Amino acid sequence: MDEPKGTKPRTSWPRKALLILGFLFALAVIALVAMAVSQNKPLPKNIKYGIVLDAGSSHTNLYVYEWPAEKENDTGVVHQVEVCKVEGLGISGYSQDPEKAGLSLQHCVKRAQEVVPEQQHRETPVYLGATAGMRLLSLQNRSIADRVLSAVKKMLRSSPFNFQGARVISGQEEGAYGWITINYLLGNFKQPGWRDFLPHLRSSTGTSGALDLGGASTQITFVPDQEATESQENSLHFRLYGKNYNVYTHSFLCYGKDQALRLKLASDLQSTRNGSLLDPCFHPGYLRSMNISDLYTNPCIANGEQPLPFTQLHLRGNGDYKRCRMTIQKIFNTSHCPYSSCSFNGIFLPPLQGEFGAFSAFYFVMNFLNLTTEKSPVPLDKVTSTVETFCSRSWHEVKAEFPKVKEKYLSEYCFSGTYILSLLENGYGFTMEKWQSIQFLGKIGSSDAGWTLGYMLNLTNMIPAEKPPTRPLSHASYVGLMVFCSLVLVAVLLLGWLTFHRPKCLQKGLI
Ligand SMILES: Nc1nc2c(ncn2[C@@H]2O[C@H](COP(=O)(O)OP(=O)(O)OP(=O)(O)O)[C@@H](O)[C@H]2O)c(=O)[nH]1
Ligand SMILES: [Ca+2]
């Protein structure tokens, strides 16, 4: 039969409803996605800045840190955006002319003014912490040390930043802040979240020890296994992000690598008659002369040994690693220990525990010798043989291979490599196996490993004792989850409707 003309086939009701539903569904999806995208658009950042000057014995570094203001108390949000190396001596080196210590900082303070936006200069805190060089100068002459500090204070006060103080920090603080810095940067203070319910998945301490080697002092800091400490002066207690940490720390004044070399030379000099010294810690063919008085005008040496009847020391290298190690060994006194275990000089040291991050000169020296790797640590015997081979090379050859390296640094890598091995192996007792737990670190992310970041975090109260209250989900995860749940809900409703009100178009025979 012919269809009557002019009449179109009529769309059935269920089909219409299906179309409307489909349209609404698409609209809902678009709206949800649009909402998710617009809600998660990053807001303009409110960045804060902080400046710390590390006035070390060998030189001063200025660090600029930044962090998002709204995340101030989270862990791992502060990072370094600038480091400026102050030219010339460390501030303790200006004892003859203290005003110059202040002037020496000028260039780096200007650099910080360029890095921090001008409108934030006045609110940006600046701190200066002086370490072992100034500790030694204070022991030697308190009033000169005060004059040097006054000069740097005057300089920083005249800067556009918010000056918060310049002081000599103790060896204990230096060790503790170094430990806080590396654990903060490594994310070791982050709350494990769901892992809280599975404590067996966490290591006993969850932190990394810190080894810092400066020019005039060296620090070792870690969380030991044993609960009770035998020496209160080496013990610190922290509560950070809701967790307690009992930390062991010790700072050896005079055992930074520059002072350790002086100790060694002063000890070697005792057995010479005329001031000439065949030194196994320098390359064959290397010559150096120095005033004996320079060696003795120093509290590290002045007390112990007798001044000598000659004025000049003439040193000649012969590059013999084994003998070098023997001469260095003499500066570690291991003859007495009033505790169950000691490092040297009668200082308490509990059994080494966990991983260690070694930085400053530990890193500079190992990095120069190509003994730092991101992956597995270089085994101790390989490190020893590398240092041994390096020491035996002639000075002429070494200088020709590294013409751009500062002569002071280059000439001392043999001594420094050997000293590091003596200190870690004989001083602290890192055995072949324990050596594998040391990682030599220069930077962690964009930030230098050192005490300055921990110092600033502490002084700006950026590390809370208690875990800050947090929402279980981030904003992005929350919106994502809402979108997902809504889609599932719509799909379920649609399916339900299709099942119970089966539209005619979906019934057998009609499709
Ligand atoms: N090879 C090398 N050595 C460096 C470098 N910077 C510093 N040193 C040397 O490494 C040693 C330690 O340097 P730092 O960690 O800056 O020591 P510091 O902070 O001045 O000294 P402390 O006050 O004892 O902490 C010193 O003997 C420096 O002369 C570097 O870039 N390369
Ligand atoms: Ca230092």
Side-chain angles (χ1 to χ4, degrees):
M1 212 164 71
D2 283 342
E3 248 186 79
K5 272 187 185 166
T7 54
K8 281 185 191 165
R10 281 177 61 198
T11 317
S12 60
W13 247 112
R15 197 142 175 214
K16 257 190 197 164
L18 250 181
L19 276 173
I20 294 169
L21 256 173
F23 177 73
L24 286 176
F25 177 74
L27 213 66
V29 171
I30 292 169
L32 280 171
V33 171
M35 186 188 84
V37 171
S38 63
Q39 271 298 106
N40 280 303
K41 252 191 204 152
L43 297 169
K45 272 189 188 164
N46 182 11
I47 299 287
K48 280 192 174 181
Y49 295 87
I51 300 169
V52 186
L53 288 106
D54 171 357
S57 63
S58 63
H59 71 280
T60 301
N61 271 345
L62 176 147
Y63 297 96
V64 182
Y65 297 103
E66 70 163 43
W67 63 93
E70 62 277 10
K71 290 192 181 162
E72 196 149 89
N73 286 341
D74 289 8
T75 172
V77 293
V78 182
H79 67 276
Q80 179 185 318
V81 284
E82 176 74 17
V83 53
C84 177
K85 190 169 177 173
V86 172
E87 286 299 313
L89 307 167
I91 59 168
S92 57
Y94 292 98
S95 55
Q96 305 294 329
D97 194 352
E99 281 303 309
K100 281 205 176 131
L103 294 177
S104 73
L105 309 179
Q106 226 163 23
H107 167 75
C108 282
V109 171
K110 285 232 166 72
R111 179 72 200 117
Q113 283 172 236
E114 289 163 13
V115 174
V116 178
E118 200 174 338
Q119 66 275 20
Q120 281 174 273
H121 284 176
R122 293 196 63 179
E123 70 190 56
T124 298
V126 57
Y127 306 90
L128 181 141
T131 51
M134 285 298 287
R135 269 176 232 142
L136 289 175
L137 185 59
S138 300
L139 289 175
Q140 215 177 331
N141 190 326
R142 187 63 193 256
S143 76
I144 292 183
D146 287 344
R147 282 170 59 198
V148 169
L149 268 184
S150 300
V152 297
K153 282 180 189 168
K154 192 170 121 196
M155 159 72 212
L156 295 174
R157 245 186 228 117
S158 71
S159 82
F161 301 114
N162 177 11
F163 176 59
Q164 293 286 307
R167 53 182 279 264
V168 180
I169 65 167
S170 70
Q172 238 191 21
E173 285 179 274
E174 196 176 354
Y177 293 130
W179 179 84
I180 289 179
T181 300
I182 68 161
N183 285 291
Y184 177 90
L185 292 173
L186 291 170
N188 290 338
F189 297 138
K190 275 206 175 101
Q191 287 306 311
W194 56 269
R195 282 188 182 199
D196 274 336
F197 303 105
L198 301 168
H200 61 279
L201 282 183
R202 277 184 279 152
S203 73
S204 60
T205 72
T207 56
S208 175
L211 298 164
D212 183 352
L213 178 59
S217 73
T218 188
Q219 288 73 234
I220 175 168
T221 310
F222 62 101
V223 176
D225 241 354
Q226 60 193 47
E227 285 283 303
T229 179
E230 293 174 38
S231 161
Q232 278 310 324
E233 65 191 80
N234 298 118
S235 170
L236 298 169
H237 177 83
F238 298 116
R239 184 166 174 83
L240 310 170
Y241 300 103
K243 212 172 153 193
N244 291 315
Y245 298 94
N246 289 315
V247 179
Y248 164 87
T249 188
H250 189 78
S251 175
F252 289 91
L253 189 59
C254 304
Y255 285 81
K257 79 178 184 61
D258 300 334
Q259 289 300 334
L261 176 58
R262 286 163 160 247
L263 287 179
K264 183 201 94 82
L265 291 175
S267 146
D268 293 347
L269 270 176
Q270 298 302 305
S271 51
T272 67
R273 287 177 186 280
N274 53 8
S276 62
L277 196 69
L278 195 60
D279 197 322
C281 300
F282 289 88
H283 296 282
Y286 180 78
L287 300 172
R288 186 190 281 192
S289 294
M290 58 199 293
N291 289 332
I292 301 272
S293 60
D294 289 346
L295 212 58
Y296 282 88
T297 50
N298 175 336
C300 292
I301 294 159
N303 298 336
E305 283 135 29
Q306 287 295 310
L308 298 156
F310 36 83
T311 55
Q312 284 268 307
L313 160 67
H314 302 285
L315 178 160
R316 205 154 41 89
N318 72 345
D320 183 338
Y321 166 78
K322 289 196 178 80
R323 291 186 73 86
C324 173
R325 189 103 185 225
M326 275 154 49
T327 59
I328 289 176
Q329 200 48 43
K330 291 187 191 149
I331 68 170
F332 300 117
N333 182 351
T334 49
S335 62
H336 69 292
C337 176
Y339 305 100
S340 61
S341 56
C342 284
S343 46
F344 52 93
N345 299 356
I347 301 295
F348 171 61
L349 178 73
L352 300 169
Q353 165 64 36
E355 302 290 309
F356 283 83
F359 45 90
S360 309
F362 282 122
Y363 177 79
F364 303 143
V365 175
M366 290 296 162
N367 188 47
F368 172 81
L369 296 168
N370 280 330
L371 294 169
T372 52
T373 53
E374 292 272 303
K375 291 167 229 146
S376 58
V378 179
L380 182 55
D381 51 353
K382 166 92 193 309
V383 173
T384 309
S385 66
T386 304
V387 176
E388 184 161 8
T389 309
F390 181 71
C391 285
S392 68
R393 294 177 65 186
S394 78
W395 175 233
H396 178 73
E397 192 189 330
V398 170
K399 231 169 52 166
E401 189 177 336
F402 304 100
K404 290 197 178 137
V405 179
K406 261 194 195 174
E407 188 162 321
K408 149 115 176 63
Y409 292 161
L410 191 61
S411 63
E412 291 180 9
Y413 281 126
C414 165
F415 163 76
S416 304
T418 314
Y419 177 62
I420 287 173
L421 284 166
S422 305
L423 177 65
L424 295 179
E425 248 190 296
N426 308 109
Y428 298 153
F430 280 92
T431 55
M432 196 85 112
E433 298 86 69
K434 285 250 177 352
W435 180 271
Q436 295 302 110
S437 63
I438 305 176
Q439 202 183 351
F440 293 93
L441 304 162
K443 282 181 182 289
I444 304 173
S446 65
S447 309
D448 287 32
W451 59 266
T452 48
L453 176 56
Y455 188 63
M456 187 189 74
L457 291 173
N458 184 47
L459 292 180
T460 50
N461 295 318
M462 267 197 279
I463 302 195
E466 297 308 325
K467 186 179 166 184
T470 49
R471 297 183 194 285
L473 287 178
S474 69
H475 184 68
S477 323
Y478 167 74
V479 174
L481 201 68
M482 289 303 286
V483 170
F484 177 74
C485 290
S486 311
L487 290 179
V488 169
L489 197 69
V490 170
V492 167
L493 284 174
L494 195 66
L495 252 167
W497 185 78
L498 287 174
T499 314
F500 293 109
H501 300 90
R502 223 171 183 197
K504 277 200 184 127
C505 63
L506 291 181
Q507 281 170 23
K508 229 179 178 177
L510 285 177
I511 304 169

